[in-house]
Amino acid sequence: MASIWIENTKNSMQFPKLNRDIETEVCIIGAGLFGLTTAYYLTQNGVPVTVVEAEQEIGIKTSGNTTGKITSQHGLFYDHLIKDYGQKFAQKYLDANEKAIKNIKKIIEENNIECDYSAQDNYVYTTLQDDIFQIQEEVKAVKSLGFDAEFVTKTPLPFTIQGAIKFPNQAQFDARKYMLGLAKQIINKNQNIYVDTRILDIAKDGKEYVLIANDANIRAKKVVIATHYPFISVPGFYFAKMYQSTSYGLAVDTNEELFEGMYINVKEPFYSLRTAMYNGKKVLVVVGGDHKTGETIENDNSYDMLEKEVKKWYPDAKVLCKWNTEDCIGLDKIAYIGEFSSIMPNVYIGTGFKKWGITTSNIAAEIITDKILGKKHKYSEIFNSKRFKPIKNRWEMENMLKQTVTSIAFEKFEIPEGELEQIPNDNAQIIEINGTNVGIYKDTSGNVYAIKPVCTHLGCTLTWNNTDKTWDCPCHGSRFDYKGNNLYTPANKRLEIINTDDIE
Ligand code: FES
């Protein structure tokens, strides 16, 4: 199950695994958009870097599964920013993101990166009359920041809308091809990228750090944590300031004529729409079904739900690829960019990019590059990584704490009671066997896979995701496949397997 972007570029660049101890000036952990862009900027400034990636290929986690929309329009956001943070803050947020759009275009042009870049307008639309007031307020807010947003009632979409806010001069691209282009530039500057190299821990040694990887150690003066989720829980405590959200994507072929522009609707259920090139043909990309990771979802299969919706617009729609993705979302919806923790000097972080990591990762890369070069970036303050203001979004805070506490408490009455025979094929359940709770998945042929349903990060109880056949953690969003393999951090260990002989 891979995104259209990963399908398009599989195995197109090979990198070695790190299997000997090395020393470097800056070690960047994570070869996604943020990590690679930081490495690109640093190498342009003559700073030696080493990039390490835990996966077998670069850019195949969150960055390879994005919609690839390069936009400063992050849903309906600016009215909220002005009301909660003030005009100056909102202005800086908009300016930083507009600058990121220009930065990305500049990188593509200067390095001739072929990544299907095209200028597009971006829209947040609604099909409901009830949402119109909210959209009009957003238009007013954005105009007050000097940006040329527009209220429209018609778009090229294949269905009628009630209204939309249009942001002109935005863009779309293939983020994975862009990342491969960045990697080429880093290699051209004689810097190294290693894959299949998972950093398990960071130890301080005098003024430097020793990064412990699976097969080697790296000594570095400075460290950038550019992983999907900060893998160090303490210090930093980012797990207490963020949650993760899962979404599902489809690339769809149709003989109908497809639209121009990029779109997302105002509220759930979300449909994020754009077009892309696949094997030389323009196809539709739709991403939606968003939910907090670990939350039980109503529909049994989010891909089927999306496909059903697409077929209302394009009855001949044929699904080409399906994929899922996961994003980290800060409680106040602003990214954390800067120093990782005051007790770990020269270690930097960028995380909590919510669903808008294309522009935010570029901003993060610029800010961290400037910090490493000893310069002050004019937008660094609004993303200050050390802030903790949950009061700005009380609902998010309460919701996260409630679910975390419930999961940690592992109350028996919360667990569906069941017997092994009652679990239908291709489904899973937690059942109690000899006083122990066991997570059991039965595949389509009735084969049983049993795990201990306890997250290896901080011990929360896992829930079953029947769309992707995964065990998901409602506390901080780690995910595991039905065999117990770890798919998404912050957990970085597999689940404990229960011997199926013990449960007959
Ligand atoms: Fe933190 Fe599961 S991800 S306890």
Side-chain angles (χ1 to χ4, degrees):
M1 200 156 31
S3 74
I4 182 173
W5 330 112
I6 296 169
E7 282 289 334
N8 265 339
T9 53
K10 242 180 209 164
N11 299 320
S12 46
M13 260 177 114
Q14 309 292 327
F15 299 95
K17 177 178 180 167
L18 182 66
N19 51 20
R20 63 187 171 87
D21 292 355
I22 58 164
E23 292 187 10
T24 184
E25 180 78 17
V26 180
C27 184
I28 297 172
I29 311 169
L33 276 164
F34 168 42
L36 290 168
T37 312
T38 308
Y40 170 81
Y41 282 142
L42 287 171
T43 53
Q44 294 295 309
N45 282 282
V47 180
V49 301
T50 299
V51 182
V52 288
E53 167 58 49
E55 301 296 323
Q56 308 283 333
E57 289 195 58
I58 63 165
I60 61 166
K61 291 299 267 194
T62 301
S63 300
N65 290 298
T66 64
T67 50
K69 294 178 180 176
I70 311 171
T71 179
S72 57
Q73 190 183 31
H74 297 174
L76 298 185
F77 199 46
Y78 290 98
D79 187 40
H80 154 71
L81 281 184
I82 291 171
K83 284 180 179 143
D84 275 19
Y85 295 83
Q87 194 83 14
K88 264 193 194 153
F89 187 101
Q91 187 74 59
K92 282 189 175 175
Y93 188 93
L94 175 65
D95 292 350
N97 279 281
E98 279 293 306
K99 181 168 189 293
I101 295 172
K102 292 193 182 81
N103 287 347
I104 293 168
K105 186 166 188 252
K106 190 166 173 241
I107 290 174
I108 293 169
E109 286 174 351
E110 284 182 355
N111 299 291
N112 296 317
I113 300 176
E114 286 181 17
C115 56
D116 303 332
Y117 176 93
S118 70
Q120 300 280 341
D121 297 330
N122 196 58
Y123 300 80
V124 179
Y125 71 88
T126 183
T127 54
L128 306 171
Q129 193 58 39
D130 284 357
D131 297 332
I132 292 299
F133 178 72
Q134 220 187 328
I135 292 184
Q136 283 170 337
E137 288 297 289
E138 181 74 359
V139 174
K140 261 192 246 164
V142 177
K143 277 185 180 292
S144 78
L145 301 172
F147 188 79
D148 196 15
E150 203 184 328
F151 179 77
V152 295
T153 51
K154 287 201 177 5
T155 68
L157 286 170
F159 50 83
T160 307
I161 64 155
Q162 292 297 323
I165 170 170
K166 172 179 155 187
F167 268 41
N169 304 321
Q170 313 290 290
Q172 66 184 23
F173 69 167
D174 178 330
R176 165 99 161 139
K177 286 184 183 166
Y178 174 72
M179 286 185 280
L180 292 167
L182 290 175
K184 222 176 261 173
Q185 296 309 315
I186 296 161
I187 299 295
N188 285 348
K189 293 274 184 189
N190 296 320
Q191 304 305 303
N192 290 312
I193 298 174
Y194 296 99
V195 296
D196 199 9
T197 303
R198 184 179 290 275
I199 302 300
L200 305 168
D201 206 356
I202 302 178
K204 201 158 187 312
D205 187 15
K207 287 192 167 170
E208 297 184 346
Y209 290 92
V210 178
L211 285 68
I212 298 133
N214 31 4
D215 281 333
N217 291 342
I218 303 164
R219 177 173 286 277
K221 291 194 176 78
K222 293 178 178 165
V223 178
V224 180
I225 300 177
T227 49
H228 163 70
Y229 193 104
F231 65 99
I232 303 173
S233 296
V234 183
F237 298 96
Y238 290 90
F239 66 86
K241 307 193 270 193
M242 292 194 301
Y243 66 95
Q244 298 205 62
S245 171
T246 302
S247 323
Y248 305 87
L250 299 180
V252 174
D253 191 18
T254 172
N255 289 323
E256 304 281 327
E257 193 178 334
L258 286 167
F259 53 82
E260 287 290 300
M262 311 180 293
Y263 305 84
I264 189 164
N265 54 335
V266 170
K267 61 186 181 204
E268 291 177 2
F270 286 112
Y271 301 105
S272 175
L273 305 162
R274 60 162 284 189
T275 58
M277 295 308 288
Y278 184 71
N279 292 337
K281 192 173 179 221
K282 192 174 178 181
V283 300
L284 170 71
V285 172
V286 53
V287 174
D290 305 10
H291 63 89
K292 183 174 177 287
T293 305
E295 199 173 65
T296 313
I297 45 175
E298 274 172 28
N299 60 297
D300 202 37
N301 191 309
S302 301
Y303 301 111
D304 293 349
M305 182 274 292
L306 284 177
E307 187 178 348
K308 218 165 123 190
E309 200 61 30
V310 169
K311 282 198 163 146
K312 288 186 199 160
W313 312 324
Y314 302 105
D316 69 337
K318 198 171 143 248
V319 174
L320 302 167
C321 330
K322 298 177 183 185
W323 66 93
N324 66 65
T325 188
E326 192 169 29
D327 296 286
C328 298
I329 301 182
L331 291 178
D332 57 10
K333 308 264 194 225
I334 309 289
Y336 296 103
I337 303 169
E339 289 76 14
F340 179 74
S341 155
S342 26
I343 59 168
M344 288 179 81
N346 298 320
V347 177
Y348 304 95
I349 182 94
T351 190
F353 297 168
K354 38 180 195 151
K355 307 270 175 189
W356 305 101
I358 304 288
T359 48
T360 317
S361 61
N362 181 275
I363 298 168
E366 261 205 348
I367 291 174
I368 300 304
T369 300
D370 277 0
K371 283 190 184 286
I372 288 172
L373 295 175
K375 293 199 265 181
K376 184 162 170 48
H377 191 284
K378 71 181 195 185
Y379 302 122
S380 61
E381 210 38 56
I382 62 170
F383 299 103
N384 178 4
S385 51
K386 288 191 235 151
R387 74 186 187 278
F388 187 53
K389 293 177 183 161
I391 201 72
K392 288 283 183 197
N393 202 328
R394 193 183 293 275
W395 182 87
E396 293 280 11
M397 183 69 176
E398 284 174 2
N399 187 38
M400 188 177 103
L401 285 179
K402 191 175 82 204
Q403 291 204 5
T404 303
V405 168
T406 304
S407 187
I408 289 171
F410 199 43
E411 294 174 81
K412 275 196 176 158
F413 57 81
E414 294 284 345
I415 301 162
E417 298 228 344
E419 296 294 332
L420 189 55
E421 301 75 46
Q422 287 169 8
I423 302 174
N425 283 3
D426 203 25
N427 215 317
Q429 209 170 333
I430 295 175
I431 63 174
E432 192 177 307
I433 297 170
N434 300 333
T436 304
N437 289 299
V438 181
I440 295 191
Y441 167 64
K442 271 193 196 170
D443 70 13
T444 46
S445 311
N447 299 314
V448 172
Y449 298 86
I451 50 89
K452 190 170 171 191
V454 177
C455 181
T456 55
H457 177 224
L458 295 176
C460 289
T461 304
L462 303 173
T463 59
W464 178 248
N465 176 331
N466 204 41
T467 294
D468 284 327
K469 314 298 172 199
T470 53
W471 292 102
D472 297 351
C473 181
C475 289
H476 318 111
S478 294
R479 301 182 74 191
F480 306 84
D481 69 15
Y482 61 83
K483 291 180 178 168
N485 296 310
N486 183 210
L487 302 174
Y488 279 98
T489 51
N492 60 9
K493 276 191 240 138
R494 55 174 298 134
L495 297 176
E496 191 181 317
I497 304 295
I498 308 281
N499 187 345
T500 46
D501 293 344
D502 297 342
I503 57 175
E504 295 304 334

